[in-house]
Amino acid sequence: MYVRHLGLRDFRSWANVELDLTPGRTVFVGSNGFGKTNLVEALWYSSTLGSHRVATDAPLVRVGAQRAVVSTIVVNEGRECAVDLEITAGRANKARLNRSPVRSPREVVGVLRAVLFAPEDLALVRGDPGDRRRYLDDLAAVRRPRVAGIRADYDKVLRQRAALLKSASGARFRGDRGALETLDVWDGHLAAHGAELMAARMTLVNELAPEVQKSYQLLAPASRPASIAYHPSVDVEPDRPDVSILEAALLEKMAARRDAELERGVCLVGPHRDDLELRLGEQPAKGFASHGESWSMALALRLAAYELLRADGSDPVLLLDDVFAELDAARREALAAAAESAEQVLVTAAVVDDIPRDWSADRIDITLNDGDTGPASAVLTVGGG
Protein backbone atom coordinates (compact mmCIF):
# COMPACT_ATOMS: atom_id res chain seq x y z
CA MET A 1 0.00 0.00 0.00
CA TYR A 2 1.16 3.53 -0.72
CA VAL A 3 -0.15 7.08 -0.99
CA ARG A 4 0.10 8.32 -4.58
CA HIS A 5 -1.21 11.83 -3.95
CA LEU A 6 -1.75 14.13 -0.98
CA GLY A 7 -3.77 17.30 -1.28
CA LEU A 8 -4.34 19.83 1.52
CA ARG A 9 -6.42 22.95 1.66
CA ASP A 10 -6.36 25.17 4.74
CA PHE A 11 -4.94 22.40 6.89
CA ARG A 12 -2.77 23.69 9.74
CA SER A 13 -0.19 26.07 8.21
CA TRP A 14 -0.78 24.95 4.62
CA ALA A 15 -3.14 27.04 2.50
CA ASN A 16 -2.80 24.68 -0.45
CA VAL A 17 -0.67 21.62 -1.20
CA GLU A 18 -0.79 19.19 -4.12
CA LEU A 19 1.92 16.57 -3.75
CA ASP A 20 2.56 13.44 -5.81
CA LEU A 21 4.30 10.63 -3.93
CA THR A 22 5.84 7.32 -4.93
CA PRO A 23 6.54 3.98 -3.26
CA GLY A 24 9.80 3.71 -1.36
CA ARG A 25 11.23 6.31 0.99
CA THR A 26 10.49 10.03 0.90
CA VAL A 27 12.10 12.49 3.31
CA PHE A 28 10.60 15.90 4.11
CA VAL A 29 13.40 18.18 5.30
CA GLY A 30 12.69 21.54 6.88
CA SER A 31 13.27 23.71 9.91
CA ASN A 32 10.99 23.38 12.91
CA GLY A 33 7.78 25.31 12.41
CA PHE A 34 7.79 25.11 8.63
CA GLY A 35 4.95 22.54 8.44
CA LYS A 36 6.64 19.21 7.72
CA THR A 37 4.88 17.45 10.62
CA ASN A 38 1.56 18.81 9.34
CA LEU A 39 1.97 16.67 6.21
CA VAL A 40 2.25 13.37 8.07
CA GLU A 41 -0.39 14.51 10.56
CA ALA A 42 -2.80 14.90 7.65
CA LEU A 43 -2.07 11.37 6.48
CA TRP A 44 -2.53 10.01 9.99
CA TYR A 45 -5.83 11.87 10.20
CA SER A 46 -6.92 10.28 6.93
CA SER A 47 -6.10 6.87 8.42
CA THR A 48 -7.64 7.26 11.89
CA LEU A 49 -9.83 10.41 11.82
CA GLY A 50 -7.67 11.76 14.63
CA SER A 51 -4.49 13.75 15.20
CA HIS A 52 -1.45 12.49 17.09
CA ARG A 53 -0.87 15.99 18.47
CA VAL A 54 -4.27 17.37 19.54
CA ALA A 55 -7.49 15.90 20.88
CA THR A 56 -9.90 18.09 18.89
CA ASP A 57 -10.22 19.10 15.25
CA ALA A 58 -10.27 22.88 15.75
CA PRO A 59 -6.45 23.38 15.59
CA LEU A 60 -6.34 21.51 12.25
CA VAL A 61 -8.18 24.28 10.42
CA ARG A 62 -5.87 27.06 9.26
CA VAL A 63 -6.36 30.33 11.10
CA GLY A 64 -8.92 32.46 9.27
CA ALA A 65 -10.37 29.55 7.25
CA GLN A 66 -13.80 27.98 7.69
CA ARG A 67 -12.79 24.41 6.99
CA ALA A 68 -9.84 22.20 6.07
CA VAL A 69 -9.72 19.52 3.39
CA VAL A 70 -7.43 16.48 3.33
CA SER A 71 -7.42 14.50 0.08
CA THR A 72 -5.51 11.30 -0.54
CA ILE A 73 -5.26 8.79 -3.36
CA VAL A 74 -4.23 5.40 -1.96
CA VAL A 75 -2.98 2.51 -4.09
CA ASN A 76 -3.46 -0.97 -2.67
CA GLU A 77 -2.43 -3.95 -4.79
CA GLY A 78 -2.82 -1.92 -7.96
CA ARG A 79 -6.26 -0.49 -7.13
CA GLU A 80 -6.68 3.24 -6.49
CA CYS A 81 -9.05 4.71 -3.93
CA ALA A 82 -9.61 8.44 -3.38
CA VAL A 83 -10.56 9.77 0.07
CA ASP A 84 -11.59 13.38 0.72
CA LEU A 85 -12.14 14.60 4.28
CA GLU A 86 -13.67 17.99 5.08
CA ILE A 87 -12.91 19.14 8.62
CA THR A 88 -15.11 21.87 10.11
CA ALA A 89 -14.44 22.86 13.72
CA GLY A 90 -17.53 22.61 15.89
CA ARG A 91 -19.61 20.90 13.20
CA ALA A 92 -19.92 17.43 11.74
CA ASN A 93 -17.13 16.54 9.35
CA LYS A 94 -17.84 15.20 5.86
CA ALA A 95 -16.16 12.60 3.68
CA ARG A 96 -16.17 11.36 0.12
CA LEU A 97 -14.98 8.00 -1.14
CA ASN A 98 -13.99 7.92 -4.81
CA ARG A 99 -15.66 11.36 -5.15
CA SER A 100 -19.02 10.09 -3.80
CA PRO A 101 -20.32 11.36 -0.42
CA VAL A 102 -20.59 8.81 2.38
CA ARG A 103 -23.00 8.91 5.31
CA SER A 104 -20.25 9.12 7.92
CA PRO A 105 -16.50 9.78 7.79
CA ARG A 106 -16.10 6.48 9.66
CA GLU A 107 -16.79 4.71 6.37
CA VAL A 108 -13.35 5.73 5.04
CA VAL A 109 -11.42 4.35 8.03
CA GLY A 110 -9.23 1.49 6.86
CA VAL A 111 -8.73 2.73 3.29
CA LEU A 112 -5.33 4.10 4.30
CA ARG A 113 -3.60 1.81 6.78
CA ALA A 114 -0.69 3.58 8.42
CA VAL A 115 1.60 3.34 11.43
CA LEU A 116 2.98 6.56 12.89
CA PHE A 117 6.17 6.96 14.94
CA ALA A 118 6.52 10.38 16.61
CA PRO A 119 8.13 12.06 19.63
CA GLU A 120 4.66 12.08 21.23
CA ASP A 121 4.89 8.28 21.47
CA LEU A 122 6.62 8.59 24.84
CA ALA A 123 3.15 9.40 26.21
CA LEU A 124 2.19 5.79 25.51
CA VAL A 125 4.53 4.83 28.35
CA ARG A 126 4.63 7.89 30.58
CA GLY A 127 1.25 9.46 29.90
CA ASP A 128 -2.30 8.91 31.09
CA PRO A 129 -4.35 5.77 30.37
CA GLY A 130 -6.24 7.76 27.72
CA ASP A 131 -3.12 7.81 25.52
CA ARG A 132 -2.89 4.02 25.64
CA ARG A 133 -6.62 3.55 25.07
CA ARG A 134 -6.42 5.75 21.98
CA TYR A 135 -3.48 3.69 20.68
CA LEU A 136 -5.59 0.52 20.99
CA ASP A 137 -8.73 2.06 19.50
CA ASP A 138 -6.91 3.61 16.54
CA LEU A 139 -5.21 0.33 15.68
CA ALA A 140 -8.35 -1.73 16.20
CA ALA A 141 -10.35 0.61 13.94
CA VAL A 142 -7.76 0.56 11.15
CA ARG A 143 -7.70 -3.25 11.24
CA ARG A 144 -11.47 -3.64 11.67
CA PRO A 145 -13.26 -0.45 10.54
CA ARG A 146 -16.44 -1.51 12.37
CA VAL A 147 -14.64 -0.69 15.64
CA ALA A 148 -14.67 3.01 14.70
CA GLY A 149 -18.46 2.93 14.77
CA ILE A 150 -18.51 1.05 18.07
CA ARG A 151 -16.20 3.60 19.65
CA ALA A 152 -18.25 6.54 18.33
CA ASP A 153 -21.50 4.99 19.59
CA TYR A 154 -19.95 4.36 23.00
CA ASP A 155 -18.61 7.91 23.28
CA LYS A 156 -22.05 9.31 22.41
CA VAL A 157 -23.79 7.17 25.04
CA LEU A 158 -21.10 8.05 27.58
CA ARG A 159 -21.68 11.79 27.11
CA GLN A 160 -25.46 11.42 27.33
CA ARG A 161 -25.32 9.20 30.41
CA ALA A 162 -22.90 11.59 32.16
CA ALA A 163 -25.30 14.48 31.52
CA LEU A 164 -28.16 12.41 32.93
CA LEU A 165 -26.16 11.52 36.04
CA LYS A 166 -25.69 15.19 36.81
CA SER A 167 -29.40 15.96 36.43
CA ALA A 168 -30.50 12.78 38.26
CA SER A 169 -28.28 13.47 41.25
CA GLY A 170 -30.87 15.74 42.87
CA ALA A 171 -33.88 13.84 41.51
CA ARG A 172 -33.36 10.86 43.79
CA PHE A 173 -33.68 13.08 46.89
CA ARG A 174 -36.95 14.47 45.51
CA GLY A 175 -38.32 10.97 45.01
CA ASP A 176 -38.32 11.37 41.21
CA ARG A 177 -38.21 7.77 39.98
CA GLY A 178 -38.51 8.79 36.33
CA ALA A 179 -34.95 10.09 36.14
CA LEU A 180 -33.57 6.95 37.75
CA GLU A 181 -35.57 4.69 35.43
CA THR A 182 -34.20 6.61 32.47
CA LEU A 183 -30.73 6.06 33.90
CA ASP A 184 -31.40 2.31 33.94
CA VAL A 185 -32.05 2.48 30.18
CA TRP A 186 -28.79 4.31 29.56
CA ASP A 187 -26.98 1.76 31.75
CA GLY A 188 -28.09 -0.86 29.25
CA HIS A 189 -26.88 1.17 26.27
CA LEU A 190 -23.51 1.85 27.90
CA ALA A 191 -23.05 -1.81 28.82
CA ALA A 192 -23.97 -3.02 25.31
CA HIS A 193 -21.61 -0.69 23.43
CA GLY A 194 -18.95 -0.86 26.14
CA ALA A 195 -18.85 -4.66 26.05
CA GLU A 196 -18.24 -4.62 22.29
CA LEU A 197 -15.46 -2.05 22.61
CA MET A 198 -13.79 -3.94 25.48
CA ALA A 199 -13.97 -7.23 23.57
CA ALA A 200 -12.33 -5.60 20.53
CA ARG A 201 -9.54 -4.18 22.67
CA MET A 202 -8.94 -7.44 24.54
CA THR A 203 -8.77 -9.44 21.32
CA LEU A 204 -6.29 -6.92 19.93
CA VAL A 205 -4.09 -6.98 23.04
CA ASN A 206 -3.96 -10.78 22.96
CA GLU A 207 -2.60 -10.56 19.40
CA LEU A 208 -0.29 -7.65 20.17
CA ALA A 209 1.36 -9.12 23.27
CA PRO A 210 3.78 -11.55 21.57
CA GLU A 211 4.68 -8.95 18.91
CA VAL A 212 5.48 -6.33 21.57
CA GLN A 213 7.65 -8.83 23.40
CA LYS A 214 9.59 -9.66 20.22
CA SER A 215 9.94 -6.04 19.12
CA TYR A 216 11.19 -4.92 22.52
CA GLN A 217 13.76 -7.72 22.57
CA LEU A 218 14.98 -6.53 19.16
CA LEU A 219 15.27 -2.93 20.33
CA ALA A 220 16.74 -3.59 23.80
CA PRO A 221 18.24 -7.09 23.94
CA ALA A 222 20.03 -6.40 27.23
CA SER A 223 16.95 -5.03 29.00
CA ARG A 224 14.28 -6.79 31.04
CA PRO A 225 11.55 -8.59 29.06
CA ALA A 226 8.54 -6.49 28.09
CA SER A 227 4.91 -7.53 28.43
CA ILE A 228 1.49 -5.94 28.00
CA ALA A 229 -1.94 -6.80 29.39
CA TYR A 230 -5.40 -5.28 29.26
CA HIS A 231 -6.53 -3.95 32.63
CA PRO A 232 -10.37 -3.69 32.65
CA SER A 233 -12.50 -1.73 35.09
CA VAL A 234 -14.65 -4.83 35.78
CA ASP A 235 -13.75 -8.27 37.09
CA VAL A 236 -13.47 -10.37 33.91
CA GLU A 237 -10.88 -12.56 32.23
CA PRO A 238 -9.22 -10.50 29.43
CA ASP A 239 -7.68 -13.57 27.82
CA ARG A 240 -11.11 -14.89 26.79
CA PRO A 241 -13.29 -11.89 25.88
CA ASP A 242 -16.98 -12.67 25.64
CA VAL A 243 -19.38 -9.81 24.85
CA SER A 244 -22.28 -11.23 26.87
CA ILE A 245 -20.09 -11.79 29.94
CA LEU A 246 -18.61 -8.31 29.62
CA GLU A 247 -22.04 -6.72 29.27
CA ALA A 248 -23.32 -8.48 32.40
CA ALA A 249 -20.20 -7.49 34.34
CA LEU A 250 -20.59 -3.84 33.33
CA LEU A 251 -24.25 -3.78 34.39
CA GLU A 252 -23.38 -5.37 37.73
CA LYS A 253 -20.56 -2.92 38.39
CA MET A 254 -22.69 0.09 37.41
CA ALA A 255 -25.40 -1.01 39.84
CA ALA A 256 -22.81 -1.34 42.61
CA ARG A 257 -21.37 2.13 41.88
CA ARG A 258 -24.71 3.87 41.28
CA ASP A 259 -24.61 5.97 44.47
CA ALA A 260 -21.03 7.06 43.86
CA GLU A 261 -21.81 7.99 40.26
CA LEU A 262 -24.84 10.05 41.28
CA GLU A 263 -22.86 11.78 43.99
CA ARG A 264 -20.01 12.72 41.65
CA GLY A 265 -22.02 13.14 38.45
CA VAL A 266 -19.59 11.10 36.33
CA CYS A 267 -19.48 7.63 34.79
CA LEU A 268 -17.13 5.53 36.92
CA VAL A 269 -17.52 2.23 35.07
CA GLY A 270 -16.75 1.29 31.48
CA PRO A 271 -13.95 0.97 28.93
CA HIS A 272 -13.19 4.69 29.33
CA ARG A 273 -11.77 3.66 32.73
CA ASP A 274 -9.63 0.79 31.41
CA ASP A 275 -5.89 0.81 30.79
CA LEU A 276 -3.22 -1.01 28.80
CA GLU A 277 -0.71 -2.23 31.35
CA LEU A 278 2.94 -2.08 30.22
CA ARG A 279 5.53 -3.98 32.23
CA LEU A 280 9.28 -4.49 32.18
CA GLY A 281 10.09 -7.60 34.13
CA GLU A 282 8.02 -7.42 37.32
CA GLN A 283 7.64 -3.64 37.34
CA PRO A 284 5.24 -1.31 35.53
CA ALA A 285 7.01 0.64 32.81
CA LYS A 286 5.40 3.90 33.89
CA GLY A 287 7.47 5.33 36.72
CA PHE A 288 10.15 2.61 36.64
CA ALA A 289 11.47 2.57 33.05
CA SER A 290 14.55 4.63 32.17
CA HIS A 291 14.39 7.10 29.29
CA GLY A 292 15.92 4.55 26.92
CA GLU A 293 13.61 1.78 28.12
CA SER A 294 10.60 4.06 27.71
CA TRP A 295 11.58 4.81 24.12
CA SER A 296 12.12 1.11 23.44
CA MET A 297 8.68 0.26 24.82
CA ALA A 298 7.01 3.01 22.79
CA LEU A 299 8.77 1.87 19.61
CA ALA A 300 7.88 -1.76 20.38
CA LEU A 301 4.20 -0.83 20.54
CA ARG A 302 4.39 0.83 17.13
CA LEU A 303 6.46 -1.96 15.57
CA ALA A 304 3.99 -4.53 16.91
CA ALA A 305 1.14 -2.57 15.30
CA TYR A 306 3.07 -2.54 12.03
CA GLU A 307 3.55 -6.31 12.13
CA LEU A 308 -0.13 -6.97 12.83
CA LEU A 309 -1.26 -4.75 9.97
CA ARG A 310 1.30 -6.33 7.69
CA ALA A 311 0.07 -9.80 8.60
CA ASP A 312 -3.45 -8.75 7.59
CA GLY A 313 -2.39 -8.68 3.95
CA SER A 314 -0.62 -5.50 2.83
CA ASP A 315 2.18 -3.28 4.12
CA PRO A 316 0.88 -0.23 5.98
CA VAL A 317 2.41 3.15 5.15
CA LEU A 318 5.12 4.04 7.68
CA LEU A 319 5.08 7.64 8.93
CA LEU A 320 8.24 8.63 10.82
CA ASP A 321 7.84 12.11 12.26
CA ASP A 322 11.16 13.53 13.54
CA VAL A 323 11.68 10.29 15.40
CA PHE A 324 15.27 9.50 14.34
CA ALA A 325 16.51 12.64 16.09
CA GLU A 326 15.09 11.30 19.38
CA LEU A 327 16.84 7.91 19.27
CA ASP A 328 20.29 6.63 20.08
CA ALA A 329 22.31 4.79 17.44
CA ALA A 330 21.09 1.28 18.35
CA ARG A 331 17.41 2.20 18.27
CA ARG A 332 17.81 4.20 15.07
CA GLU A 333 19.37 1.16 13.45
CA ALA A 334 16.59 -1.14 14.65
CA LEU A 335 13.87 1.21 13.38
CA ALA A 336 15.66 1.67 10.06
CA ALA A 337 15.87 -2.11 9.69
CA ALA A 338 12.15 -2.48 10.35
CA ALA A 339 11.42 0.14 7.67
CA GLU A 340 13.77 -1.47 5.15
CA SER A 341 11.14 -3.62 3.43
CA ALA A 342 8.10 -1.32 3.81
CA GLU A 343 6.37 -0.41 0.56
CA GLN A 344 6.26 3.29 1.48
CA VAL A 345 8.03 5.26 4.21
CA LEU A 346 7.42 8.98 4.70
CA VAL A 347 9.93 10.67 7.00
CA THR A 348 10.25 14.18 8.44
CA ALA A 349 13.56 15.58 9.64
CA ALA A 350 14.92 18.98 10.60
CA VAL A 351 18.30 18.15 9.03
CA VAL A 352 19.40 15.47 6.59
CA ASP A 353 21.95 14.15 9.08
CA ASP A 354 19.06 12.75 11.15
CA ILE A 355 18.35 10.22 8.39
CA PRO A 356 20.33 6.92 8.27
CA ARG A 357 23.32 7.46 5.99
CA ASP A 358 22.79 4.32 3.92
CA TRP A 359 19.19 5.16 3.02
CA SER A 360 18.30 5.88 -0.57
CA ALA A 361 15.33 8.25 -0.51
CA ASP A 362 13.53 10.95 -2.46
CA ARG A 363 13.94 14.33 -0.80
CA ILE A 364 11.46 17.19 -0.53
CA ASP A 365 12.76 20.41 1.01
CA ILE A 366 10.39 22.73 2.86
CA THR A 367 11.71 26.28 2.62
CA LEU A 368 10.52 29.88 2.54
CA ASN A 369 10.25 32.09 -0.50
CA ASP A 370 12.83 34.87 -0.55
CA GLY A 371 11.73 37.64 1.77
CA ASP A 372 9.06 35.58 3.53
CA THR A 373 9.26 35.13 7.28
CA GLY A 374 6.62 32.65 8.42
CA PRO A 375 5.61 29.02 7.99
CA ALA A 376 2.44 30.01 6.13
CA SER A 377 4.74 30.95 3.23
CA ALA A 378 6.61 27.63 3.19
CA VAL A 379 7.03 25.91 -0.17
CA LEU A 380 7.83 22.35 -1.20
CA THR A 381 10.80 21.70 -3.44
CA VAL A 382 10.95 18.15 -4.80
CA GLY A 383 14.45 16.77 -5.17
CA GLY A 384 15.94 19.56 -3.11
CA GLY A 385 19.56 19.84 -2.05
Coordinates of all heavy atoms in Angstrom, one line a residue, residues 198-229:
M198 N -14.7 -3.2 24.6 CA -13.8 -3.9 25.5 C -13.4 -5.2 24.8 O -12.2 -5.6 24.9 CB -14.4 -4.2 26.9 CG -14.6 -2.9 27.7 SD -15.5 -3.2 29.2 CE -14.2 -4.2 30.2
A199 N -14.3 -6.0 24.2 CA -14.0 -7.2 23.6 C -13.0 -7.0 22.4 O -12.1 -7.8 22.2 CB -15.2 -7.9 23.1
A200 N -13.2 -5.9 21.6 CA -12.3 -5.6 20.5 C -10.9 -5.3 21.0 O -9.9 -5.7 20.5 CB -12.9 -4.4 19.7
R201 N -10.9 -4.5 22.1 CA -9.5 -4.2 22.7 C -8.8 -5.4 23.2 O -7.6 -5.6 23.0 CB -9.7 -3.1 23.8 CG -10.1 -1.7 23.4 CD -10.3 -0.9 24.6 NE -10.7 0.5 24.3 CZ -11.0 1.4 25.2 NH1 -11.0 1.0 26.5 NH2 -11.3 2.6 24.9
M202 N -9.6 -6.2 23.9 CA -8.9 -7.4 24.5 C -8.4 -8.4 23.5 O -7.3 -8.9 23.6 CB -10.0 -8.1 25.4 CG -10.3 -7.4 26.7 SD -11.6 -8.2 27.6 CE -11.8 -7.1 29.0
T203 N -9.2 -8.6 22.4 CA -8.8 -9.4 21.3 C -7.5 -8.9 20.7 O -6.6 -9.6 20.4 CB -9.9 -9.6 20.3 OG1 -11.1 -10.1 20.9 CG2 -9.5 -10.4 19.1
L204 N -7.5 -7.6 20.5 CA -6.3 -6.9 19.9 C -5.1 -7.1 20.8 O -4.0 -7.4 20.3 CB -6.6 -5.4 19.7 CG -5.4 -4.6 19.2 CD1 -4.9 -5.1 17.9 CD2 -5.8 -3.1 19.1
V205 N -5.2 -6.9 22.1 CA -4.1 -7.0 23.0 C -3.6 -8.4 23.1 O -2.3 -8.6 23.1 CB -4.5 -6.5 24.5 CG1 -3.4 -6.8 25.5 CG2 -4.8 -5.0 24.5
N206 N -4.4 -9.4 23.0 CA -4.0 -10.8 23.0 C -3.1 -11.1 21.7 O -2.2 -11.9 21.8 CB -5.2 -11.7 23.0 CG -5.9 -11.7 24.3 OD1 -5.3 -11.3 25.3 ND2 -7.2 -12.1 24.3
E207 N -3.4 -10.4 20.6 CA -2.6 -10.6 19.4 C -1.3 -9.7 19.5 O -0.3 -10.1 18.9 CB -3.4 -10.2 18.2 CG -4.6 -11.1 17.9 CD -5.4 -10.6 16.6 OE1 -4.8 -10.8 15.5 OE2 -6.5 -10.1 16.8
L208 N -1.4 -8.6 20.1 CA -0.3 -7.6 20.2 C 0.8 -8.2 21.1 O 2.0 -7.9 20.8 CB -0.7 -6.3 20.7 CG -1.1 -5.2 19.7 CD1 -1.7 -4.0 20.5 CD2 0.0 -4.8 18.8
A209 N 0.4 -8.8 22.2 CA 1.4 -9.1 23.3 C 2.6 -9.8 22.8 O 3.7 -9.4 23.1 CB 0.7 -9.9 24.3
P210 N 2.5 -10.9 22.0 CA 3.8 -11.5 21.6 C 4.6 -10.7 20.6 O 5.8 -10.8 20.6 CB 3.3 -12.8 20.9 CG 1.9 -12.6 20.5 CD 1.3 -11.7 21.6
E211 N 3.9 -9.8 19.8 CA 4.7 -9.0 18.9 C 5.4 -7.9 19.7 O 6.6 -7.5 19.3 CB 3.7 -8.3 17.9 CG 3.1 -9.3 16.9 CD 4.0 -10.0 16.0 OE1 5.2 -9.5 15.8 OE2 3.7 -11.1 15.5
V212 N 4.8 -7.3 20.7 CA 5.5 -6.3 21.6 C 6.7 -6.9 22.2 O 7.8 -6.3 22.3 CB 4.5 -5.8 22.6 CG1 5.3 -4.9 23.6 CG2 3.4 -4.9 21.9
Q213 N 6.5 -8.2 22.7 CA 7.7 -8.8 23.4 C 8.8 -9.0 22.4 O 10.0 -8.7 22.8 CB 7.2 -10.2 23.9 CG 8.2 -10.9 24.8 CD 7.7 -12.2 25.3 OE1 6.8 -12.8 24.8 NE2 8.3 -12.7 26.4
K214 N 8.5 -9.5 21.2 CA 9.6 -9.7 20.2 C 10.2 -8.3 19.8 O 11.5 -8.2 19.7 CB 9.0 -10.4 19.0 CG 8.7 -11.9 19.2 CD 8.4 -12.6 17.9 CE 7.1 -12.1 17.3 NZ 6.7 -12.8 16.1
S215 N 9.4 -7.3 19.6 CA 9.9 -6.0 19.1 C 10.8 -5.4 20.2 O 11.9 -4.8 19.9 CB 8.8 -5.1 18.7 OG 8.1 -5.6 17.6
Y216 N 10.4 -5.5 21.4 CA 11.2 -4.9 22.5 C 12.5 -5.6 22.6 O 13.6 -5.0 22.9 CB 10.4 -5.0 23.8 CG 11.1 -4.2 24.9 CD1 10.9 -2.8 25.1 CD2 12.0 -4.8 25.8 CE1 11.6 -2.1 26.1 CE2 12.7 -4.1 26.8 CZ 12.5 -2.8 26.9 OH 13.1 -2.1 27.9
Q217 N 12.5 -6.9 22.5 CA 13.8 -7.7 22.6 C 14.7 -7.3 21.5 O 15.9 -7.2 21.7 CB 13.4 -9.2 22.5 CG 14.6 -10.1 22.4 CD 15.4 -10.1 23.7 OE1 14.9 -9.8 24.8 NE2 16.7 -10.5 23.7
L218 N 14.2 -7.0 20.3 CA 15.0 -6.5 19.2 C 15.6 -5.2 19.5 O 16.8 -4.9 19.2 CB 14.1 -6.4 17.9 CG 14.7 -5.8 16.7 CD1 15.8 -6.7 16.1 CD2 13.7 -5.5 15.6
L219 N 14.8 -4.3 20.1 CA 15.3 -2.9 20.3 C 16.2 -2.8 21.5 O 17.1 -2.0 21.6 CB 14.1 -2.0 20.6 CG 13.2 -1.8 19.3 CD1 11.8 -1.2 19.8 CD2 13.9 -0.8 18.4
A220 N 16.0 -3.7 22.5 CA 16.7 -3.6 23.8 C 17.1 -5.0 24.3 O 16.5 -5.5 25.3 CB 16.0 -2.8 24.8
P221 N 18.0 -5.7 23.6 CA 18.2 -7.1 23.9 C 18.8 -7.3 25.3 O 18.7 -8.4 25.9 CB 19.2 -7.5 22.8 CG 19.8 -6.2 22.3 CD 18.7 -5.2 22.4
A222 N 19.4 -6.3 25.9 CA 20.0 -6.4 27.2 C 19.1 -6.0 28.3 O 19.4 -6.1 29.5 CB 21.3 -5.6 27.3
S223 N 17.9 -5.5 28.0 CA 16.9 -5.0 29.0 C 16.1 -6.2 29.5 O 16.1 -7.3 29.1 CB 16.1 -3.9 28.4 OG 15.1 -3.4 29.3
R224 N 15.2 -5.8 30.5 CA 14.3 -6.8 31.0 C 13.2 -7.1 30.0 O 12.9 -6.3 29.1 CB 13.6 -6.2 32.3 CG 14.5 -5.9 33.4 CD 13.9 -5.0 34.4 NE 13.7 -3.6 33.9 CZ 13.1 -2.6 34.6 NH1 12.5 -2.9 35.7 NH2 13.0 -1.4 34.1
P225 N 12.6 -8.3 30.0 CA 11.5 -8.6 29.1 C 10.3 -7.7 29.2 O 10.0 -7.3 30.3 CB 11.2 -10.0 29.4 CG 11.6 -10.3 30.8 CD 12.8 -9.4 31.0
A226 N 9.7 -7.3 28.1 CA 8.5 -6.5 28.1 C 7.3 -7.3 28.0 O 7.3 -8.4 27.3 CB 8.6 -5.5 26.9
S227 N 6.2 -6.9 28.6 CA 4.9 -7.5 28.4 C 3.8 -6.5 28.5 O 4.0 -5.4 29.1 CB 4.7 -8.6 29.5 OG 4.7 -8.0 30.8
I228 N 2.7 -6.8 27.9 CA 1.5 -5.9 28.0 C 0.3 -6.8 28.4 O 0.2 -8.0 28.2 CB 1.2 -5.2 26.7 CG1 0.8 -6.2 25.6 CG2 2.4 -4.4 26.2 CD1 0.4 -5.5 24.3
A229 N -0.7 -6.1 29.0 CA -1.9 -6.8 29.4 C -3.0 -5.8 29.5 O -2.8 -4.6 29.8 CB -1.8 -7.5 30.7

